[in-house]
Amino acid sequence: MTHAPSLSPTSPAPASATGFFRRFRSTPAEPASAKRVQFSSPFLPYLFLAPQMAIIFIFFYCPSVQAIRSSFYLEDPFGFGSSFVGLANYTDVLKSTEYLGIARFTAVFTALVTFFSLSIGLLLAVKADGVIRGNAAYKTLLIWVYAIAPPVAGLMGMMMFDQHIGPLVKFAGLFGWEMKVGLNYNDTAFAMIVVSVWKQIPYNFIFFLSGLQGIPVSVREAALMDCRSGFRRFRTVILPLLAPTAFFLLIINTTYALFDTFGVIDVMVKDKAANNPITLVYKVYMDGFRGNDLGGSSAQSVILMIIVFVLTIFQFRFIERRVHYN
Amino acid sequence: MAAINITNVSKIYAGGVEAVKSVSIDIADGEFIVLGGPSGCGKSTLLRMVAGLEAISQGTVEIGDRVINDVEPAERDIAMVFQNYALYPHMTVYNNLAYGLKNRGTPKAEIDARVAEAARMLEIEQYLTRKPRALSGGQRQRVAMGRAIVRKPAAFLFDEPLSNLDAKLRVTMRGEIKQLQKRLGTTSLYVTHDQLEAMTLADRLVVLNGGRIEQIGRPLDVYHTPASTFVASFIGSPAMNLLRATREGGRLHFGSQVLESDRLSALPTELTIGIRAEDLRVARAGEQSLAMKVDYIEELGAQRLVHGRLDGKKLTAALSPEIELSDTIALTIAPSRLHFFDVTTGKRLAKALDGLGGRREVASTLEAAIG
């Protein structure tokens, strides 16, 4: 979900994450800056695209079509056939108060995780950027954070909230907060959000840092002479120039919070009481693989797909409009 | 508008590297000062210290009557034009110009008026709504100039503003900068490694070498009486010919070639002789001459640069294109046109020069610089 390689044959390997989005833009790129590659045969670009298209087809389109199809059927859990039920799976899901509650939690969870992982990542990057200009060794040390595998980071985060040895649980205890992760709804939700944010911060940090380092020194210096207030400089010059990075990360982090937090949630609520907070994607898994309700689960994943689709369109139409690509 | 006084300013980096060594320049109100020198001579560092982009290690910089060592760059009442323009890519040209004024709380009507005036002056009125990426290099340079002008600062600082432009545009912009500065009368400090820019723009020229001032003076004074071999080879194109010679009585020996004059007696026996290419001319019959073997010729139209060897050492002469050339030409020079430098220090031999007389006006600053 995270590193989609560039598909366009005309764009020479994008130097930054923002290049990935450039091809979606409705306004055509600057003619002077556009690099055109001439192919000897008109079929050659399609040939180059073929492997990527094949992967997308096998791992995205096929399962999607399969999911849409089975969302209209009531499947026998043991594979003894299925019967067409029309939109019943959808109406069941959308009428369920449990489902709507989970959807509400997912929205809050996604918003909080995206907001905090982005803002903490940005804060750390800005602070680091102030220190490391020109210091290669220090920069390398900071970037090592990124080398920690996300599952390891997630595991470490969860150990922080372990009921018996978790230092954060002990720390909260000092303030009289008896944290019961996995038992108390709010405590679990809190731990889930903290670990999910924590896991994603290094990723955001690296992108923001490289975005900051990409802002020309002379532009910062010009701003230094034009504007006295450091905060105002940041708001009016640095932040707008960071917008392409921020927009890219917004998309990535939203998707992360919706889908890639599955592992965190799974470890926290696995085999525990049903009164725990879960997100929509976990509900799809629970109903499909635990509850053996393949039809309902498929309907849920189709709904999820539509939500993500609408969200992404919204982000590109209304937020990207404010993004300045240089 | 204000005078700038730079007094014993040094820049010492962590690790002890001294980029600027106790430099003092007094810039009069409205004066156009060019800092020239090869890369690494400390000229940009000096400018950036005045701008506030580098801390001043030692000494003081005053703008007007105010010591600005510890003043924020935005509070120094200066505007800078950067080499790569440093325009804000996400702002329109109008906003690029207005940004500094907005941050100072200038009223909207005043901002509009100043931007309009600067845009008219620089002929960028039709681009005000564009973003910098939609402009050509020359237009961007104008916007960068405009951003400095609208602020009406006490001083303009230019950091090699023309080096990203193509040769033709550079000449045009050079003229415009000069004109604009004369019209506005704003004190200016201009850094360049291009000796032609240095010569044409400066009211006074400061040549820096290894963080020290090598010479300060009006461009023509620097050109005609370079204080050292360093200045002699930096200012002027083609660079001044520098030849080792030995003196025996009234005779200068360039290897096997000899030049005679009765005015050489005060000079040391070993010296470096400086010869401007345009001071050489073809010798008439019977005149004493130096024989130059021609290597190749550069035609400049009005002039012809003849590159060759004088007893194996390189020599360039600027001759009229009408003169017919052979493989070897006999060149001569008026002895009063020779420049004499110390062999070891490279400094101009001022006393001997006075003895020779006949030099054009010698700037008092030069005398002071040589001591």
Side-chain angles (χ1 to χ4, degrees):
Chain A
M1 213 77 231
T2 47
H3 294 287
S6 182
L7 293 177
S8 160
T10 57
S11 78
S16 68
T18 59
F20 164 55
F21 286 116
R22 211 167 290 201
R23 67 207 155 86
F24 289 122
R25 288 206 299 154
S26 46
T27 48
E30 192 75 5
S33 62
K35 282 186 188 161
R36 288 210 159 269
V37 179
Q38 296 296 330
F39 288 102
S40 51
S41 154
F43 301 106
L44 201 55
Y46 297 99
L47 186 67
F48 287 148
L49 277 177
Q52 181 70 44
M53 292 314 287
I55 287 168
I56 289 180
F57 190 77
I58 293 167
F59 290 102
F60 181 71
Y61 289 117
C62 284
S64 301
V65 169
Q66 189 64 36
I68 291 170
R69 198 197 71 86
S70 64
S71 71
F72 295 111
Y73 287 85
L74 189 63
E75 304 257 357
D76 184 278
F78 303 104
F80 295 122
S82 55
S83 48
F84 185 79
V85 292
L87 289 172
N89 284 327
Y90 289 94
T91 50
D92 281 356
V93 162
L94 292 175
K95 268 192 231 152
S96 145
T97 48
E98 189 211 358
Y99 186 79
L100 294 178
I102 290 170
R104 209 172 302 125
F105 175 76
T106 307
V108 173
F109 175 83
T110 304
L112 288 177
V113 168
T114 307
F115 176 77
F116 282 111
S117 54
L118 278 177
S119 45
I120 296 172
L122 177 61
L123 182 75
L124 292 177
V126 167
K127 292 297 168 200
D129 179 58
V131 184
I132 64 168
R133 281 205 163 264
N135 190 335
Y138 193 59
K139 195 182 332 194
T140 312
L141 282 177
L142 277 170
I143 284 173
W144 272 354
V145 178
Y146 187 43
I148 299 175
V152 175
L155 193 66
M156 284 162 67
M158 277 172 291
M159 283 172 78
M160 294 282 184
F161 285 102
D162 186 276
Q163 212 54 55
H164 306 289
I165 57 161
L168 285 176
V169 174
K170 291 216 171 83
F171 184 72
L174 290 179
F175 299 94
W177 179 4
E178 218 180 303
M179 206 185 271
K180 288 199 167 89
V181 176
L183 289 177
N184 179 302
Y185 184 93
N186 287 327
D187 289 353
T188 314
F190 176 79
M192 252 180 201
I193 291 170
V194 170
V195 174
S196 302
V197 167
W198 189 64
K199 253 181 83 179
Q200 189 65 2
I201 286 174
Y203 185 86
N204 293 345
F205 170 78
I206 295 301
F207 273 91
F208 274 130
L209 186 63
S210 82
L212 283 168
Q213 305 253 307
I215 297 175
V217 180
S218 60
V219 170
R220 289 163 178 262
E221 288 179 343
L224 206 60
M225 315 202 76
D226 270 346
C227 181
R228 198 203 157 145
S229 147
F231 177 73
R232 199 180 153 83
R233 276 203 302 276
F234 180 76
R235 197 170 56 77
T236 52
V237 175
I238 306 295
L239 211 52
L241 293 178
L242 213 51
T245 311
F247 180 68
F248 165 78
L249 287 178
L250 176 71
I251 304 261
I252 295 300
N253 278 273
T254 315
T255 335
Y256 162 80
L258 279 172
F259 298 106
D260 293 354
T261 49
F262 181 89
V264 173
I265 297 167
D266 189 46
V267 172
M268 289 211 176
V269 304
K270 195 182 318 191
D271 302 327
K272 305 234 173 85
N275 187 29
N276 268 324
I278 54 170
T279 59
L280 289 177
V281 72
Y282 199 73
K283 171 90 171 132
V284 169
Y285 164 77
M286 290 259 284
D287 288 359
F289 294 90
R290 292 290 168 85
N292 278 338
D293 175 14
L294 288 180
S297 166
S298 296
Q300 287 179 32
S301 54
V302 171
I303 292 171
L304 201 53
M305 215 145 60
I306 292 168
I307 291 174
V308 172
F309 187 66
V310 169
L311 200 62
T312 309
I313 287 189
F314 171 82
Q315 285 170 328
F316 272 102
R317 287 215 57 145
F318 296 100
I319 301 179
E320 205 206 14
R321 191 175 287 178
R322 296 157 180 276
V323 172
H324 168 85
Y325 290 98
N326 194 20
Chain B
M1 265 153 262
I4 301 176
N5 297 304
I6 299 169
T7 315
N8 297 324
V9 164
S10 299
K11 177 72 194 183
I12 302 153
Y13 286 106
V17 179
E18 213 173 342
V20 174
K21 296 167 188 162
S22 191
V23 165
S24 298
I25 310 168
D26 288 327
I27 305 169
D29 185 7
E31 201 174 11
F32 200 125
I33 294 280
V34 174
L35 299 175
S39 35
C41 73
K43 57 190 189 303
S44 279
T45 311
L46 184 59
L47 187 84
R48 291 168 57 80
M49 282 195 281
V50 176
L53 302 173
E54 298 265 3
I56 298 166
S57 310
Q58 281 165 19
T60 56
V61 174
E62 286 168 73
I63 296 178
D65 301 326
R66 197 163 57 125
V67 176
I68 46 92
N69 283 38
D70 298 320
V71 178
E72 289 279 315
E75 308 270 289
R76 292 188 178 197
D77 198 16
I78 45 171
M80 187 153 165
V81 179
F82 292 84
Q83 178 177 355
N84 54 4
Y85 324 125
L87 299 177
Y88 307 118
H90 58 295
M91 296 184 195
T92 60
V93 169
Y94 177 90
N95 283 329
N96 262 285
L97 297 185
Y99 181 66
L101 295 174
K102 276 184 195 157
N103 292 327
R104 280 173 178 74
T106 314
K108 179 88 175 70
E110 164 104 32
I111 294 178
D112 277 342
R114 286 211 209 172
V115 170
E117 192 196 341
R120 189 180 44 76
M121 225 185 273
L122 294 162
E123 294 164 18
I124 49 172
E125 285 151 306
Q126 64 268 45
Y127 309 123
L128 283 178
T129 53
R130 287 205 201 162
K131 294 263 177 76
R133 67 160 176 228
L135 300 178
S136 70
Q139 288 161 349
R140 286 180 203 187
Q141 187 56 60
R142 280 163 198 272
V143 176
M145 297 272 300
R147 194 167 60 179
I149 290 172
V150 288
R151 294 256 314 272
K152 299 196 173 163
F156 289 141
L157 306 178
F158 297 92
D159 190 4
E160 310 215 8
L162 304 182
S163 38
N164 279 12
L165 301 177
D166 64 58
K168 198 177 166 197
L169 204 52
R170 205 178 304 164
V171 176
T172 328
M173 287 303 291
R174 200 171 67 203
E176 287 187 26
I177 288 180
K178 179 87 177 167
Q179 239 181 344
L180 210 59
Q181 196 270 342
K182 282 281 160 287
R183 182 143 60 130
L184 298 169
T186 310
T187 314
S188 300
L189 197 53
Y190 187 107
V191 161
T192 182
H193 64 265
D194 182 318
Q195 63 87 26
L196 198 59
E197 264 173 47
M199 285 288 289
T200 49
L201 286 170
D203 290 334
R204 276 195 299 154
L205 178 56
V206 179
V207 182
L208 287 161
N209 179 19
R212 273 182 220 289
I213 293 185
E214 196 82 10
Q215 187 170 10
I216 304 183
R218 284 177 290 170
L220 277 182
D221 293 343
V222 174
Y223 183 81
H224 289 303
T225 52
S228 63
T229 49
F230 177 83
V231 179
S233 53
F234 177 68
I235 296 293
S237 175
M240 186 187 274
N241 297 297
L242 292 169
L243 302 163
R244 282 288 292 271
T246 49
R247 184 185 64 86
E248 275 173 29
R251 295 156 65 90
L252 281 177
H253 295 264
F254 302 91
S256 60
Q257 307 276 326
V258 177
L259 207 60
E260 230 173 314
S261 170
D262 53 356
R263 310 161 112 173
L264 303 171
S265 51
L267 292 165
T269 52
E270 289 281 325
L271 34 84
T272 304
I273 307 289
I275 301 173
R276 287 275 179 217
E278 70 271 21
D279 287 341
L280 287 166
R281 59 179 175 79
V282 174
R284 285 184 287 270
E287 264 186 317
Q288 64 168 341
S289 64
L290 303 167
M292 178 174 81
K293 273 211 178 81
V294 177
D295 284 340
Y296 64 100
I297 292 161
E298 287 179 301
E299 298 287 4
L300 301 181
Q303 269 188 335
R304 171 184 283 166
L305 293 183
V306 184
H307 300 270
R309 278 160 204 285
L310 179 72
D311 200 57
K313 303 220 179 59
K314 279 185 183 166
L315 185 73
T316 303
L319 303 174
S320 158
E322 277 97 64
I323 296 164
E324 277 191 45
L325 294 175
S326 49
D327 284 351
T328 307
I329 22 177
L331 295 170
T332 192
I333 181 170
S336 64
R337 299 258 172 186
L338 294 173
H339 302 258
F340 304 102
F341 300 99
D342 189 284
V343 171
T344 45
T345 63
K347 295 278 180 239
R348 182 178 196 84
L349 296 167
K351 295 272 159 26
L353 177 90
D354 291 345
L356 284 168
R359 295 305 311 172
R360 275 163 261 187
E361 42 186 3
V362 177
S364 54
T365 45
L366 167 68
E367 294 288 304
I370 296 169

